PDB file of all heavy atoms in Angstrom:
ATOM      1  N   ASN F 646      42.624  25.367  12.822  1.00  0.00           N
ATOM      2  CA  ASN F 646      43.570  24.320  13.013  1.00  0.00           C
ATOM      3  C   ASN F 646      43.048  23.444  14.071  1.00  0.00           C
ATOM      4  O   ASN F 646      43.869  22.484  14.646  1.00  0.00           O
ATOM      5  CB  ASN F 646      44.944  24.822  13.269  1.00  0.00           C
ATOM      6  CG  ASN F 646      44.921  25.965  14.438  1.00  0.00           C
ATOM      7  OD1 ASN F 646      43.820  26.123  15.097  1.00  0.00           O
ATOM      8  ND2 ASN F 646      46.039  26.638  14.660  1.00  0.00           N
ATOM      9  N   PHE F 647      41.902  23.708  14.608  1.00  0.00           N
ATOM     10  CA  PHE F 647      41.403  22.847  15.738  1.00  0.00           C
ATOM     11  C   PHE F 647      41.066  21.400  15.302  1.00  0.00           C
ATOM     12  O   PHE F 647      40.427  21.211  14.237  1.00  0.00           O
ATOM     13  CB  PHE F 647      40.097  23.416  16.292  1.00  0.00           C
ATOM     14  CG  PHE F 647      39.565  22.781  17.489  1.00  0.00           C
ATOM     15  CD1 PHE F 647      40.171  22.840  18.685  1.00  0.00           C
ATOM     16  CD2 PHE F 647      38.418  22.015  17.398  1.00  0.00           C
ATOM     17  CE1 PHE F 647      39.674  22.131  19.798  1.00  0.00           C
ATOM     18  CE2 PHE F 647      37.887  21.296  18.453  1.00  0.00           C
ATOM     19  CZ  PHE F 647      38.515  21.400  19.706  1.00  0.00           C
ATOM     20  N   LYS F 648      41.528  20.465  16.082  1.00  0.00           N
ATOM     21  CA  LYS F 648      41.235  19.054  15.734  1.00  0.00           C
ATOM     22  C   LYS F 648      40.403  18.445  16.851  1.00  0.00           C
ATOM     23  O   LYS F 648      40.693  18.501  18.058  1.00  0.00           O
ATOM     24  CB  LYS F 648      42.457  18.226  15.682  1.00  0.00           C
ATOM     25  CG  LYS F 648      43.028  18.288  14.201  1.00  0.00           C
ATOM     26  CD  LYS F 648      42.708  17.117  13.421  1.00  0.00           C
ATOM     27  CE  LYS F 648      43.109  17.229  11.980  1.00  0.00           C
ATOM     28  NZ  LYS F 648      42.098  17.891  11.110  1.00  0.00           N
ATOM     29  N   PHE F 649      39.219  17.840  16.525  1.00  0.00           N
ATOM     30  CA  PHE F 649      38.426  17.309  17.629  1.00  0.00           C
ATOM     31  C   PHE F 649      39.048  15.971  17.995  1.00  0.00           C
ATOM     32  O   PHE F 649      39.393  15.227  17.056  1.00  0.00           O
ATOM     33  CB  PHE F 649      37.000  17.125  17.067  1.00  0.00           C
ATOM     34  CG  PHE F 649      36.105  18.358  17.168  1.00  0.00           C
ATOM     35  CD1 PHE F 649      36.045  19.129  15.929  1.00  0.00           C
ATOM     36  CD2 PHE F 649      35.545  18.799  18.183  1.00  0.00           C
ATOM     37  CE1 PHE F 649      35.360  20.323  15.888  1.00  0.00           C
ATOM     38  CE2 PHE F 649      34.771  19.913  18.159  1.00  0.00           C
ATOM     39  CZ  PHE F 649      34.715  20.703  16.976  1.00  0.00           C
ATOM     40  N   LYS F 650      38.985  15.636  19.275  1.00  0.00           N
ATOM     41  CA  LYS F 650      39.564  14.458  19.788  1.00  0.00           C
ATOM     42  C   LYS F 650      38.810  13.278  19.183  1.00  0.00           C
ATOM     43  O   LYS F 650      39.364  12.263  18.626  1.00  0.00           O
ATOM     44  CB  LYS F 650      39.720  14.330  21.210  1.00  0.00           C
ATOM     45  CG  LYS F 650      41.096  14.607  21.725  1.00  0.00           C
ATOM     46  CD  LYS F 650      41.243  14.268  23.143  1.00  0.00           C
ATOM     47  CE  LYS F 650      41.166  15.515  23.897  1.00  0.00           C
ATOM     48  NZ  LYS F 650      40.565  15.489  25.194  1.00  0.00           N
ATOM     49  N   GLU F 651      37.517  13.341  19.325  1.00  0.00           N
ATOM     50  CA  GLU F 651      36.640  12.348  18.543  1.00  0.00           C
ATOM     51  C   GLU F 651      35.428  13.238  18.020  1.00  0.00           C
ATOM     52  O   GLU F 651      34.974  14.205  18.628  1.00  0.00           O
ATOM     53  CB  GLU F 651      36.069  11.259  19.526  1.00  0.00           C
ATOM     54  CG  GLU F 651      35.381  11.737  20.784  1.00  0.00           C
ATOM     55  CD  GLU F 651      34.878  10.612  21.476  1.00  0.00           C
ATOM     56  OE1 GLU F 651      35.164   9.354  21.236  1.00  0.00           O
ATOM     57  OE2 GLU F 651      34.014  10.806  22.444  1.00  0.00           O
ATOM     58  N   LEU F 652      34.887  12.652  16.913  1.00  0.00           N
ATOM     59  CA  LEU F 652      33.748  13.471  16.268  1.00  0.00           C
ATOM     60  C   LEU F 652      32.658  13.660  17.230  1.00  0.00           C
ATOM     61  O   LEU F 652      32.052  12.739  17.697  1.00  0.00           O
ATOM     62  CB  LEU F 652      33.438  12.616  15.050  1.00  0.00           C
ATOM     63  CG  LEU F 652      32.340  13.286  14.268  1.00  0.00           C
ATOM     64  CD1 LEU F 652      32.795  14.479  13.571  1.00  0.00           C
ATOM     65  CD2 LEU F 652      31.748  12.238  13.210  1.00  0.00           C
ATOM     66  N   PRO F 653      32.181  14.912  17.493  1.00  0.00           N
ATOM     67  CA  PRO F 653      31.061  15.160  18.299  1.00  0.00           C
ATOM     68  C   PRO F 653      29.802  14.753  17.400  1.00  0.00           C
ATOM     69  O   PRO F 653      29.725  15.270  16.361  1.00  0.00           O
ATOM     70  CB  PRO F 653      31.185  16.654  18.684  1.00  0.00           C
ATOM     71  CG  PRO F 653      31.928  17.136  17.591  1.00  0.00           C
ATOM     72  CD  PRO F 653      32.931  16.115  17.053  1.00  0.00           C
ATOM     73  N   LEU F 654      28.928  14.099  18.015  1.00  0.00           N
ATOM     74  CA  LEU F 654      27.649  13.652  17.283  1.00  0.00           C
ATOM     75  C   LEU F 654      26.531  14.508  17.781  1.00  0.00           C
ATOM     76  O   LEU F 654      25.490  14.717  17.097  1.00  0.00           O
ATOM     77  CB  LEU F 654      27.391  12.198  17.481  1.00  0.00           C
ATOM     78  CG  LEU F 654      28.368  11.311  16.909  1.00  0.00           C
ATOM     79  CD1 LEU F 654      28.030   9.880  17.110  1.00  0.00           C
ATOM     80  CD2 LEU F 654      28.570  11.558  15.408  1.00  0.00           C
ATOM     81  N   THR F 655      26.605  14.928  19.080  1.00  0.00           N
ATOM     82  CA  THR F 655      25.426  15.734  19.661  1.00  0.00           C
ATOM     83  C   THR F 655      25.896  17.043  19.968  1.00  0.00           C
ATOM     84  O   THR F 655      27.140  17.318  20.214  1.00  0.00           O
ATOM     85  CB  THR F 655      24.885  15.046  20.934  1.00  0.00           C
ATOM     86  OG1 THR F 655      25.861  14.978  21.826  1.00  0.00           O
ATOM     87  CG2 THR F 655      24.513  13.539  20.521  1.00  0.00           C
ATOM     88  N   GLU F 656      25.011  17.976  20.317  1.00  0.00           N
ATOM     89  CA  GLU F 656      25.263  19.387  20.710  1.00  0.00           C
ATOM     90  C   GLU F 656      26.122  19.280  21.838  1.00  0.00           C
ATOM     91  O   GLU F 656      27.105  20.001  21.976  1.00  0.00           O
ATOM     92  CB  GLU F 656      24.022  20.103  20.885  1.00  0.00           C
ATOM     93  CG  GLU F 656      23.274  20.566  19.568  1.00  0.00           C
ATOM     94  CD  GLU F 656      21.849  21.016  19.881  1.00  0.00           C
ATOM     95  OE1 GLU F 656      21.734  21.666  20.927  1.00  0.00           O
ATOM     96  OE2 GLU F 656      20.956  20.689  19.197  1.00  0.00           O
ATOM     97  N   ASP F 657      25.752  18.491  22.851  1.00  0.00           N
ATOM     98  CA  ASP F 657      26.549  18.485  24.131  1.00  0.00           C
ATOM     99  C   ASP F 657      28.029  18.079  23.989  1.00  0.00           C
ATOM    100  O   ASP F 657      28.947  18.656  24.444  1.00  0.00           O
ATOM    101  CB  ASP F 657      25.958  17.330  25.080  1.00  0.00           C
ATOM    102  CG  ASP F 657      24.503  17.953  25.627  1.00  0.00           C
ATOM    103  OD1 ASP F 657      24.319  19.070  25.507  1.00  0.00           O
ATOM    104  OD2 ASP F 657      23.835  17.158  26.150  1.00  0.00           O
ATOM    105  N   GLN F 658      28.168  17.047  23.136  1.00  0.00           N
ATOM    106  CA  GLN F 658      29.548  16.604  22.828  1.00  0.00           C
ATOM    107  C   GLN F 658      30.427  17.725  22.218  1.00  0.00           C
ATOM    108  O   GLN F 658      31.582  17.935  22.448  1.00  0.00           O
ATOM    109  CB  GLN F 658      29.595  15.351  21.986  1.00  0.00           C
ATOM    110  CG  GLN F 658      29.080  14.130  22.745  1.00  0.00           C
ATOM    111  CD  GLN F 658      28.836  13.036  21.786  1.00  0.00           C
ATOM    112  OE1 GLN F 658      29.386  13.064  20.605  1.00  0.00           O
ATOM    113  NE2 GLN F 658      28.183  11.905  22.186  1.00  0.00           N
ATOM    114  N   LEU F 659      29.713  18.337  21.324  1.00  0.00           N
ATOM    115  CA  LEU F 659      30.440  19.475  20.512  1.00  0.00           C
ATOM    116  C   LEU F 659      30.789  20.562  21.491  1.00  0.00           C
ATOM    117  O   LEU F 659      31.898  21.055  21.524  1.00  0.00           O
ATOM    118  CB  LEU F 659      29.384  20.030  19.448  1.00  0.00           C
ATOM    119  CG  LEU F 659      29.890  21.176  18.532  1.00  0.00           C
ATOM    120  CD1 LEU F 659      30.895  20.702  17.568  1.00  0.00           C
ATOM    121  CD2 LEU F 659      28.829  21.894  17.953  1.00  0.00           C
ATOM    122  N   ALA F 660      29.790  20.965  22.304  1.00  0.00           N
ATOM    123  CA  ALA F 660      29.938  22.084  23.293  1.00  0.00           C
ATOM    124  C   ALA F 660      31.170  21.719  24.236  1.00  0.00           C
ATOM    125  O   ALA F 660      31.987  22.589  24.546  1.00  0.00           O
ATOM    126  CB  ALA F 660      28.621  22.303  24.010  1.00  0.00           C
ATOM    127  N   ASP F 661      31.104  20.436  24.751  1.00  0.00           N
ATOM    128  CA  ASP F 661      32.119  20.048  25.663  1.00  0.00           C
ATOM    129  C   ASP F 661      33.571  20.279  25.214  1.00  0.00           C
ATOM    130  O   ASP F 661      34.456  20.823  25.812  1.00  0.00           O
ATOM    131  CB  ASP F 661      31.965  18.517  25.924  1.00  0.00           C
ATOM    132  CG  ASP F 661      30.948  18.259  27.186  1.00  0.00           C
ATOM    133  OD1 ASP F 661      30.562  19.358  27.751  1.00  0.00           O
ATOM    134  OD2 ASP F 661      30.630  17.182  27.382  1.00  0.00           O
ATOM    135  N   GLN F 662      33.710  19.773  23.848  1.00  0.00           N
ATOM    136  CA  GLN F 662      35.190  19.779  23.299  1.00  0.00           C
ATOM    137  C   GLN F 662      35.476  21.284  23.051  1.00  0.00           C
ATOM    138  O   GLN F 662      36.586  21.669  23.247  1.00  0.00           O
ATOM    139  CB  GLN F 662      35.163  18.961  22.122  1.00  0.00           C
ATOM    140  CG  GLN F 662      35.051  17.480  22.461  1.00  0.00           C
ATOM    141  CD  GLN F 662      35.492  16.597  21.348  1.00  0.00           C
ATOM    142  OE1 GLN F 662      36.522  16.807  20.760  1.00  0.00           O
ATOM    143  NE2 GLN F 662      34.867  15.493  21.022  1.00  0.00           N
ATOM    144  N   LEU F 663      34.571  22.052  22.515  1.00  0.00           N
ATOM    145  CA  LEU F 663      34.841  23.501  22.258  1.00  0.00           C
ATOM    146  C   LEU F 663      35.093  24.194  23.456  1.00  0.00           C
ATOM    147  O   LEU F 663      36.035  25.051  23.520  1.00  0.00           O
ATOM    148  CB  LEU F 663      33.683  24.177  21.470  1.00  0.00           C
ATOM    149  CG  LEU F 663      33.452  23.741  20.002  1.00  0.00           C
ATOM    150  CD1 LEU F 663      32.236  24.356  19.389  1.00  0.00           C
ATOM    151  CD2 LEU F 663      34.808  23.989  19.211  1.00  0.00           C
ATOM    152  N   ALA F 664      34.365  23.844  24.600  1.00  0.00           N
ATOM    153  CA  ALA F 664      34.565  24.631  25.814  1.00  0.00           C
ATOM    154  C   ALA F 664      35.999  24.457  26.298  1.00  0.00           C
ATOM    155  O   ALA F 664      36.644  25.403  26.832  1.00  0.00           O
ATOM    156  CB  ALA F 664      33.583  24.137  26.902  1.00  0.00           C
TER     157      ALA F 664
END
Side-chain angles (χ1 to χ4, degrees):
Chain F
N646 53 7
F647 182 73
K648 274 264 173 273
F649 284 94
K650 255 192 263 144
E651 57 172 11
L652 180 68
L654 295 182
T655 64
E656 285 166 39
D657 287 346
Q658 292 170 11
L659 180 77
D661 274 353
Q662 294 200 42
L663 284 179

